[in-house]
Amino acid sequence: MMSKDIINTADKVIAATYTRPPIVIIKGKGCILWDTEGRTYTDFVSGIAVCNLGHAHPRVSKVISAQADTLFHVSNLYYTVPQTELASWLVEHSFADRVFFCNSGAEANEAAIKIARKYFSEKGENGRCRIIAMEKSFHGRTMATLSATGQDKIKKGFDPILEGFDFVPFNDADALRRKIGDSTCAVLLEPIQGEGGVRFPDPEYLRTVREICDETGTLLIFDEIQTGIGRTGKLFGYEHFRIEPDIMTLAKALGNGLPIGAMLTREHIAQAFGPGAHATTFGGTPIITAGALEVLKVLTEENIVEHCQEMGEYFKEKLLWLKSRHDIVEDVRGIGLLLGMKLKTNGASFVTACMKKGFLINCIQEDILRFIPPLIIEKEEIDSLVVCLDEIL
Ligand SMILES: *Cc1c(COP(=O)(O)O)cnc(C)c1O
């Protein structure tokens, strides 16, 4: 089929939940994508902060195909090697003692919400079930996770929204202190907000949130679905703040494009998830966990997190240079390779203009251009995008 036919068919048979540009992507290698017309694009989206190692990474592809020849799936009724090895890796490299695997970010947050409530219910504190989340947060599109999301546009039309979620402004510890009460079981937040506009909080803020949770015995849940796995220049975003959460969720880059989510927590909390308490058919299946483990090995063995930090600093400087040259740029924000440029106008036309010049970027909250390239991006590729932005701004 020609790309025109693909687009026409897709527009008929696929749920129209996304507005897409008229290109059909057929191949990727590293930071480059090809469409059906033979055009190439440098990818500053990474499938929404997913393909941290770029596309078609040879080591990951090799492991997946070897695992495909050996064992795809047996369910969680049995022990498997890749799942055990991946959980061990995550436990070894984080604050956590145990991991629950699932298939997406929303499911990881569902598990976090459930375990926080179950933890207090097991202790006999049944009324302690409310969760405080942040305004402008994003936690997913399932009923519980959209109920936990602090953006009205995501909830609109889906009433009744689930009970039990309260909201306070992000980066406002006093507001949290006022809201937290006897019925609060957990505080849920992204240490650096992603979809809400790439917002990095004051370092003091998260330390104060940790203190408030400690004083009140409330669980602290970090949604690191976007900030985890090296994206911010540290393996996990919380490492920037010298504190640790009680529960953390991962997904996006964990599988570099393989569908996987994970909920990580400490032993005493993990006890609340005994046999039968929570379950999933696919979660942590061998083919996916084998791939994800290789992703993490490449990330650490090839010092990609350090590279991300270096490229992130370089890129941010360039964006600040663009701000100094173009009045239309209001603000440059973010850390590592989770960067945003807030414009004084709608950003959609800039996304299209970049695409025409061979760069994929995306726009969030209508006026923030977001740059989330593969972490293996090099200075030359950043320079080319900056030249393109300089022309179109
Ligand atoms: C993407 C994202 C999610 C949702 O993940 P899905 O895999 O789309 O369900 C949740 N939280 C954050 C912070 C995200 O960036």
Side-chain angles (χ1 to χ4, degrees), residues 73-375:
H73 175 82
V74 287
S75 88
N76 286 305
L77 298 176
Y78 307 99
Y79 293 103
T80 63
V81 178
Q83 183 184 80
T84 312
E85 289 182 348
L86 179 61
S88 300
W89 195 100
L90 289 169
V91 163
E92 200 175 302
H93 290 82
S94 74
F95 72 95
D97 303 310
R98 284 183 191 266
V99 185
F100 176 84
F101 288 116
C102 51
N103 313 291
S104 68
E107 271 181 88
N109 284 336
E110 290 270 348
I113 292 164
K114 283 182 74 175
I115 204 169
R117 288 182 175 170
K118 191 84 167 26
Y119 172 72
F120 287 104
S121 132
E122 295 280 298
K123 293 208 299 178
E125 298 179 50
N126 276 311
R128 197 158 180 187
C129 60
R130 298 191 71 84
I131 290 170
I132 299 179
M134 301 297 138
E135 290 169 9
K136 296 205 172 144
S137 58
F138 180 76
H139 298 298
R141 299 288 196 146
T142 59
M143 280 310 303
T145 58
L146 76 81
S147 301
T149 290
Q151 301 186 52
D152 288 342
K153 65 172 192 219
I154 287 179
K155 303 180 181 184
K156 208 171 152 231
F158 298 112
D159 283 327
I161 298 301
L162 291 194
E163 257 301 301
F165 296 94
D166 300 306
F167 294 89
V168 294
F170 185 58
N171 209 16
D172 183 345
D174 290 335
L176 177 67
R177 209 185 280 281
R178 283 194 299 272
K179 185 69 97 181
I180 214 159
D182 294 342
S183 60
T184 309
C185 68
V187 173
L188 166 63
L189 56 81
E190 303 154 82
I192 301 148
Q193 285 192 336
E195 303 300 311
V198 190
R199 296 171 72 216
F200 192 87
D202 305 329
E204 264 322 304
Y205 166 69
L206 285 183
R207 283 198 283 276
T208 310
V209 170
R210 180 69 269 182
E211 277 168 27
I212 296 170
C213 287
D214 289 342
E215 284 160 20
T216 54
T218 309
L219 299 179
L220 180 55
I221 307 172
F222 279 178
D223 176 342
E224 293 240 21
I225 290 165
Q226 189 156 154
T227 52
I229 320 296
R231 175 57 54 189
T232 68
K234 303 264 188 203
L235 185 57
F236 302 113
Y238 70 77
E239 295 170 23
H240 288 287
F241 306 99
R242 288 179 283 112
I243 50 155
E244 290 175 346
D246 301 302
I247 299 170
M248 171 170 75
T249 53
L250 299 174
K252 292 207 160 83
L254 179 53
N256 206 60
L258 297 164
I260 182 168
M263 186 277 295
L264 292 80
T265 189
R266 295 179 198 282
E267 182 64 33
H268 68 285
I269 300 163
Q271 291 301 326
F273 264 9
H278 192 45
T280 163
T281 301
F282 291 131
T285 205
I287 189 150
I288 304 296
T289 44
L293 180 64
E294 191 66 8
V295 168
L296 296 174
K297 283 184 181 167
V298 173
L299 200 76
T300 40
E301 286 167 20
E302 299 185 4
N303 300 319
I304 288 169
V305 182
E306 292 78 2
H307 180 75
C308 164
Q309 193 184 346
E310 206 181 305
M311 290 303 111
E313 279 167 21
Y314 180 79
F315 197 172
K316 193 167 182 181
E317 245 166 60
K318 294 273 168 178
L319 293 175
L320 286 165
W321 175 78
L322 286 171
K323 177 175 181 277
S324 74
R325 287 167 59 81
H326 300 281
D327 208 34
I328 195 174
V329 180
E330 189 178 306
D331 185 27
V332 169
R333 46 174 79 170
I335 188 161
L337 288 168
L338 176 55
L339 295 172
M341 189 158 84
K342 188 170 162 63
L343 303 178
K344 292 175 184 161
T345 179
N346 191 292
S349 61
F350 296 94
V351 173
T352 309
C354 279
M355 200 184 75
K356 292 212 167 105
K357 288 175 177 281
F359 299 93
L360 300 187
I361 64 167
N362 91 329
C363 177
I364 51 173
Q365 305 288 322
E366 296 186 347
D367 56 3
I368 301 167
L369 302 181
R370 181 173 50 172
F371 308 102
I372 39 178
L375 309 187

